[in-house]
Amino acid sequence: MTDPNAIQPSELDQLPDRDPEETAEWQASLDAVTQAAGPHRAAYLMRRTLERAEGAGVVLPKLLETDYVNSIPTAAEPAVPGDEAMEARITAWNRWNAAAMVTRGSKYGVGGHIATFASAAWLYETGFNHFFHGKEGDGSGDQLYIQGHASPGIYARAFLDGRLTEQHLDNFRQEAGGNGLPSYPHPRRLPWLWEFPTVSMGLGPISAIYQARFNRYLTSRGIKDVSDSHVWAFLGDGEMDEPESTTALTLASREGLDNLTFVINCNLQRLDGPVRANFKIVQELEALFRGAGWHVIKSLWGSAWDELFALDTTGALVRRLRQVPDAQIQTYQTRDAAYIRQDFFGADPALAEMAKLLSDDKITECFHFSRGGHEARKVFAAYKAALEHKGAPTVILAQTVKGHTLGTGFASKNANHQMKKLSVDEFKQMRDLLELPIADSAFADGQVPYGHPGADSPEVRYLQERRAALGGPAPARRVHPVAPLPAPADKAFAAFDKGSGSQNVATTMAFVRLVKDLVRDKETGKRWVPIVPDEARTFGMESLFPSLGIYSPKGQTYEPVDRDQLMYYKEAKNGQILNEGITEAGSMADFIAASSSYSTHGEAMIPFYIFYSMFGWQRTADQMWQLGDQLGRGFLVGATAGRTTLTGEGLQHADGHSPVIAATNPAALSYDPAFAYEVATIVKDGLRRMYGQAEPGEDQDVFYYLTVYNEPLPQPAKPSVPGIDEGIVKGLYRFNTAESAGLTVPANAPRIQLLGSGTAIHWALDAQRMLAEEWGVAADVWSATSWGELRRDAMEADAALLRGEERVPYVRRALQGAEGPVLAVSDYMRQVPDQIAQWIEQDYTSLGADGFGLSDTRGAARRHFGVDAQSIVAAALAQLARRGEVKASAVKEAREKYGL
């Protein structure tokens, strides 16, 4: 079978050979080695030659895969500073308490994971003892993305150093009564400990990359020098199958993020079985990361393998290790020495001879226990090499055994991810293996005891001294005492109060104009972080390019094609805009890093991420949830919003449901403003609440979702209505009445209340006029800026009633006394306005754009969905007819008149 990646003769013919005789000599040398020493020796020499060439700066294609051995030879490993025996005892206590915590909780059926931390213990402990910088020293410390399923081990360490008590451990996954511990890293649930939520697999890797990138952004823009901060992401080999895990690898290498290290725990197992049963996940990941430009360090085998490699004079051992698939390595972990002799060593005569020199105990030690990820010396060497490597991010591929030290019933078993407890006998075996001083009598009534050497023990003092030397406890989340940001000048917001006069303006453009004014503010302008996924021109943001610049660590190394234009494409090392290319996931990761900078770095930043609304919540809702869990703050802006405003674009671009998804997120304040002055009012209040002086009881750890439209429409002046700002923020206010709109209606005319949000309010205003002029019906028009906030307030009022407090929902108070039925309409599915239906005292119905979108003009699309002005008139007449306030024949007459 032909190798598709091999260079074909026709390709070689395209390369001029300046010295064919020299080329022939090299080829003859390779042929001679192949004949004399075999193809494996020839391959070895070629790899070494390529490595030498790369080290000498010779530009060659990357060597994507190396042998299945450690990248750092044993002889090159640095000594581990400190007391290795002491660190081993600390790790043993943490292993024990992690398993005890989950086992004790299992009697309540709350679940938990034991095997992951058991495999990764030394990956964490080595970092905590020697590498991870805390937040009490200079700078911001390091950022740690902890693998979610390893959380019991992190809790166990916090228990050992006195940050958690036995009561906390006994409340693992039992938070309702207080003093509980969340299942996984959840900053919203345990905000003093966890900094980043990571258990939604794949989000940790991409977030870590963009966090490292954002650190560079902060430094380059002169906000804060965080060049000493290092981002460590602990990941699972199975987790790397998630598309988000690898989607930004080339960004990290392209921008030279040597402040980033991935540590992938290659225990060769995912939740149900092997990660790559018939293949080798380490080799696959090595090729993937090398191809993406990362520095790769493999730490696969422990020191017990040194003797075997020393005996491998023919390369047979290395060849066999490359051949054996991962699932078979997993099997070796569970089988005896006789099986391994036959299956592994018996496959090659040279290996069979080697096996004769090895005792059964030696074979068992190597294949059952000795992995690179289980030895402090191996891990220390890898971490040190990662920090010393400059110019590219590093990934450490550390091989481990899932369930290591938990006994033969756990180690490498396919079901160990779902195994929640050990028996007393298994704990005693574990105790003996770890050499812990826990007496049999401590297992009272079959209860597994927690272990602690004492608050003043040498182990605890050593642990605390090491953390003090590295800048304090870790992981830790700190919200630095930061003064509220000063409010921008009112004129930036008041400019929208007068309306647009005769000019039609889309609310997307109004928002961009507002941002242009706000980034000029002397106090807070530099803190805005505009984020856009390669659609800036779609949203009219190209005017920001030359004034703010697009962030690039290289600046601008070329002359842009549009340099002679006023709004040319300008990149700069201190650029303010993050223009991410076609990646909503990357843009969201940017937003998350910026939105929590107030905590991570003690620097409040104001991100706004503007995107096609259809490609926001629908595509990256999991990251929006991560944002809420990380207590992020900022503005998400769904542009080109709605089902019918994107004329001609059709089904895949037409958003009819993003507010529904947004309503599921407790941290999201979702708004669908109709007018420019509403946009300005909402942004002003958002800045106050998130970055300024919040009112008592207001949660600052929220983010805003605003939908804005690309349809140019008249922007009216802000009405002089009492309490209008409160109404805009709370979600509803009366924009006008039939009378204040200058319409002539009979004194006893039937009346209806029209509630509209976003662009739909313009259809409601047209319907208001038609109802008055053609049907003698008076309609009052209300702007529903937030169906979601109206619902949230009403639900809080319901909860208050259950507590015995008298409280009327705002939406009911606002509509109190409003005559006639209520008809609500939006450019979204009816489920959006129907969020408030149960709290409306009047007769209530709604119109919406349900179903799939379609390509056509705006008018045709609105007629198709039955939300245009004529459809609103017909629906209003139908409501009034049911109440006997207009003739039933009026509905049929209207439908015929308007061709509905």
Side-chain angles (χ1 to χ4, degrees):
M1 181 175 178
T2 303
D3 181 357
N5 296 314
I7 297 178
Q8 303 302 314
S10 60
E11 296 179 62
L12 291 174
D13 292 343
Q14 304 301 315
L15 303 176
D17 190 342
R18 294 182 298 179
D19 193 340
E21 184 176 346
E22 181 183 39
T23 302
E25 290 175 356
W26 276 78
Q27 292 171 337
S29 297
L30 181 62
D31 291 342
V33 171
T34 303
Q35 293 171 5
H40 300 293
R41 177 61 181 169
Y44 175 85
L45 291 176
M46 287 300 298
R47 287 196 296 271
R48 296 291 88 81
T49 302
L50 287 171
E51 289 173 355
R52 182 62 174 266
E54 184 177 336
V58 178
V59 179
L60 288 169
K62 292 288 185 181
L63 182 66
L64 296 185
E65 206 176 301
T66 62
D67 286 325
Y68 202 65
V69 297
N70 295 346
S71 302
I72 303 172
T74 301
E77 293 169 359
V80 180
D83 188 332
E84 291 189 58
M86 181 69 73
E87 293 175 16
R89 291 202 298 275
I90 291 171
T91 304
W93 284 116
N94 292 338
R95 286 182 181 278
W96 177 272
N97 288 323
M101 178 195 327
V102 177
T103 297
R104 287 167 68 123
S106 67
K107 66 182 179 182
Y108 302 109
V110 295
H113 301 285
I114 303 176
T116 295
F117 177 73
S119 68
W122 277 113
L123 302 179
Y124 292 107
E125 293 296 326
T126 304
F128 286 131
N129 288 327
H130 301 286
F131 293 96
F132 304 157
H133 290 92
K135 299 182 177 298
E136 295 176 0
D138 295 334
S140 300
D142 290 349
Q143 288 83 56
L144 307 180
Y145 288 77
I146 305 295
Q147 193 178 1
H149 294 132
S151 60
I154 308 305
Y155 290 141
R157 194 170 217 274
F159 169 64
L160 201 64
D161 74 8
R163 292 196 291 165
L164 293 176
T165 66
E166 285 195 16
Q167 183 184 15
H168 286 112
L169 300 193
D170 268 345
N171 285 331
F172 174 60
R173 292 192 170 198
Q174 299 172 75
E175 299 180 78
N179 289 321
L181 299 180
S183 52
Y184 304 121
H186 287 304
R188 188 169 287 276
R189 300 304 310 157
L190 200 62
W192 60 268
L193 180 72
W194 297 120
E195 194 166 20
F196 306 108
T198 54
V199 80
S200 190
M201 293 189 191
L203 301 192
I206 189 173
S207 294
I209 290 173
Y210 280 89
Q211 181 66 57
R213 197 285 198 87
F214 185 74
N215 290 356
R216 291 281 174 85
Y217 172 87
L218 281 182
T219 301
S220 297
R221 290 199 50 224
I223 302 293
K224 182 179 181 180
D225 185 356
V226 295
S227 52
D228 289 336
S229 290
H230 198 84
V231 178
W232 300 83
F234 289 84
L235 315 169
D237 47 0
E239 180 179 8
M240 300 310 295
D241 284 344
E242 288 285 3
E244 294 89 351
S245 294
T246 56
T247 188
L249 295 185
T250 53
L251 167 72
S253 59
R254 185 169 67 244
E255 300 202 359
L257 297 181
D258 50 24
N259 60 337
L260 170 68
T261 298
F262 275 17
V263 181
I264 302 182
N265 178 17
C266 298
N267 58 33
L268 314 186
Q269 290 183 248
R270 52 190 179 197
L271 276 60
D272 288 333
V275 178
R276 292 290 184 273
N278 295 298
F279 307 93
K280 302 187 79 62
I281 186 61
V282 168
Q283 300 300 91
E284 180 180 321
L285 291 176
E286 178 184 29
L288 175 68
F289 278 89
R290 283 184 182 273
W294 286 54
H295 176 224
V296 179
I297 299 173
K298 293 197 289 192
S299 183
L300 308 181
W301 308 111
S303 55
W305 283 81
D306 291 347
E307 179 182 342
L308 276 67
F309 288 122
L311 294 172
D312 185 29
T313 57
T314 65
L317 177 61
V318 173
R319 289 197 302 273
R320 183 66 176 139
L321 289 174
R322 285 177 62 89
Q323 294 167 357
V324 177
D326 284 353
Q328 191 63 22
I329 289 180
Q330 182 185 350
T331 296
Y332 293 149
Q333 168 68 33
T334 65
R335 304 301 290 269
D336 60 17
Y339 176 88
I340 298 171
R341 283 183 187 276
Q342 177 181 350
D343 190 86
F344 181 84
F345 291 97
D348 187 295
L351 289 180
E353 290 300 312
M354 178 191 295
K356 294 177 182 178
L357 304 175
L358 303 174
S359 67
D360 284 355
D361 287 345
K362 183 65 176 181
I363 290 175
T364 301
E365 179 185 12
C366 288
F367 284 85
H368 285 199
F369 304 107
S370 188
R371 300 290 189 274
H374 292 328
E375 294 187 14
R377 183 184 180 93
K378 304 291 184 185
V379 177
F380 182 90
Y383 286 6
K384 187 172 186 292
L387 291 182
E388 291 174 350
H389 187 82
K390 300 303 177 185
T394 294
V395 59
I396 296 169
L397 304 175
Q399 185 162 285
T400 66
V401 174
K402 193 167 185 177
H404 183 59
T405 75
L406 298 180
T408 57
F410 258 85
S412 282
K413 294 299 177 67
N414 278 339
N416 60 19
H417 191 80
Q418 306 302 328
M419 297 163 69
K420 312 300 183 186
K421 60 183 178 180
L422 278 70
S423 67
V424 169
D425 287 341
E426 287 172 326
F427 266 107
K428 289 179 178 178
Q429 293 172 10
M430 182 182 177
R431 172 200 62 188
D432 296 341
L433 176 65
L434 299 176
E435 299 180 346
L436 291 172
I438 299 174
D440 285 353
S441 60
F443 293 84
D445 300 322
Q447 177 79 295
V448 180
Y450 294 121
H452 200 295
D456 195 40
S457 65
E459 292 92 336
V460 173
R461 288 201 305 271
Y462 181 89
L463 181 155
Q464 293 176 341
E465 287 168 3
R466 292 304 310 137
R467 288 313 314 155
L470 288 167
R477 180 179 181 273
R478 297 285 186 268
V479 179
H480 305 268
V482 179
L485 294 182
D490 274 343
K491 64 179 182 180
F493 305 102
F496 297 90
D497 290 354
K498 61 184 179 182
S500 62
S502 59
Q503 182 183 8
N504 288 346
V505 176
T507 50
T508 298
M509 295 308 300
F511 178 82
V512 172
R513 178 189 161 187
L514 174 63
V515 170
K516 287 177 65 176
D517 291 340
L518 292 175
V519 296
R520 295 192 186 106
D521 185 84
K522 292 181 180 180
E523 296 291 335
T524 60
K526 66 179 182 179
R527 297 191 176 274
W528 283 86
V529 184
I531 302 167
V532 58
D534 199 38
E535 290 279 7
R537 298 182 192 277
T538 302
F539 309 137
M541 291 176 58
E542 64 269 29
S543 61
L544 298 177
F545 288 169
S547 58
L548 300 184
I550 299 165
Y551 171 73
S552 170
K554 287 185 174 294
Q556 194 150 40
T557 61
Y558 60 92
E559 182 178 356
V561 67
D562 53 359
R563 182 63 179 86
D564 58 342
Q565 298 179 14
L566 181 63
M567 294 181 287
Y568 69 97
Y569 196 84
K570 177 185 175 184
E571 296 188 81
K573 291 182 179 179
N574 64 344
Q576 194 164 350
I577 300 170
L578 293 173
N579 191 319
E580 290 305 355
I582 305 174
T583 168
E584 286 82 8
S587 300
M588 266 307 301
D590 257 340
F591 187 90
I592 291 169
S595 72
S596 52
S597 180
Y598 73 92
S599 169
T600 309
H601 296 299
E603 295 287 344
M605 304 299 288
I606 312 171
F608 82 86
Y609 164 35
I610 187 167
F611 50 87
Y612 251 106
S613 66
M614 184 64 170
F615 306 140
W617 286 87
Q618 173 172 291
R619 182 167 292 185
T620 57
D622 198 11
Q623 287 179 288
M624 271 76 163
W625 199 269
Q626 178 191 10
L627 165 64
D629 208 5
Q630 198 163 310
L631 290 80
R633 305 169 183 172
F635 296 95
L636 298 177
V637 183
T640 56
R643 184 79 84 189
T644 70
T645 60
L646 262 176
T647 178
E649 287 284 0
L651 172 59
Q652 291 181 322
H653 285 64
D655 174 20
H657 54 278
S658 66
V660 176
I661 308 175
T664 67
N665 193 309
L669 278 64
S670 177
Y671 287 89
D672 187 26
F675 304 123
Y677 67 80
E678 294 177 350
V679 172
T681 301
I682 293 164
V683 171
K684 180 180 180 180
D685 191 71
L687 290 172
R688 174 200 62 79
R689 176 169 178 173
M690 294 185 292
Y691 299 96
Q693 196 64 51
E695 297 291 336
E698 275 187 326
D699 185 3
Q700 282 192 285
D701 298 323
V702 295
F703 60 92
Y704 282 62
Y705 175 53
L706 279 73
T707 56
V708 291
Y709 296 81
N710 70 322
E711 184 176 6
L713 290 165
Q715 296 298 327
K718 188 175 185 179
S720 298
V721 178
I724 186 172
D725 285 355
E726 179 189 25
I728 292 172
V729 172
K730 286 187 174 295
L732 183 68
Y733 69 96
R734 183 156 49 193
F735 176 74
N736 69 14
T737 64
E739 292 77 9
S740 67
L743 299 172
T744 301
V745 292
N748 60 347
R751 188 171 291 270
I752 189 169
Q753 309 298 319
L754 302 180
L755 278 56
S757 69
T759 193
I761 201 169
H762 296 277
W763 321 331
L765 289 170
D766 286 345
Q768 178 190 47
R769 176 187 54 78
M770 294 167 66
L771 284 166
E773 293 177 355
E774 301 175 25
W775 304 96
V777 172
D780 300 339
V781 175
W782 298 70
S783 180
T785 53
S786 178
W787 310 101
E789 285 306 290
L790 291 173
R791 175 179 175 80
R792 194 192 307 262
D793 171 81
M795 291 174 65
E796 290 172 356
D798 287 352
L801 286 173
L802 292 176
R803 297 192 300 267
E805 304 171 18
E806 288 294 331
R807 181 174 163 186
V808 179
Y810 174 81
V811 66
R812 188 170 296 166
R813 285 189 282 120
L815 288 169
Q816 188 173 15
E819 298 177 30
V822 172
L823 174 60
V825 61
S826 81
D827 202 18
Y828 291 96
M829 58 195 300
R830 290 178 62 182
Q831 190 173 339
V832 174
D834 283 353
Q835 291 179 82
I836 65 171
Q838 72 184 80
W839 292 282
I840 305 299
E841 293 181 318
Q842 295 89 341
D843 292 340
Y844 183 90
T845 191
S846 63
L847 297 175
D850 284 79
F852 290 108
L854 76 165
S855 299
D856 213 313
T857 64
R858 292 183 178 116
R862 287 161 189 166
R863 175 57 57 90
H864 169 80
F865 286 112
V867 292
D868 59 356
Q870 291 83 355
S871 298
I872 294 174
V873 169
L877 293 174
Q879 271 188 287
L880 294 169
R882 284 194 295 271
R883 296 161 58 93
E885 297 179 22
V886 300
K887 294 179 180 179
S889 59
V891 180
K892 181 180 179 182
E893 183 182 346
R895 293 187 60 80
E896 292 175 350
K897 179 177 182 179
Y898 301 134
L900 297 179

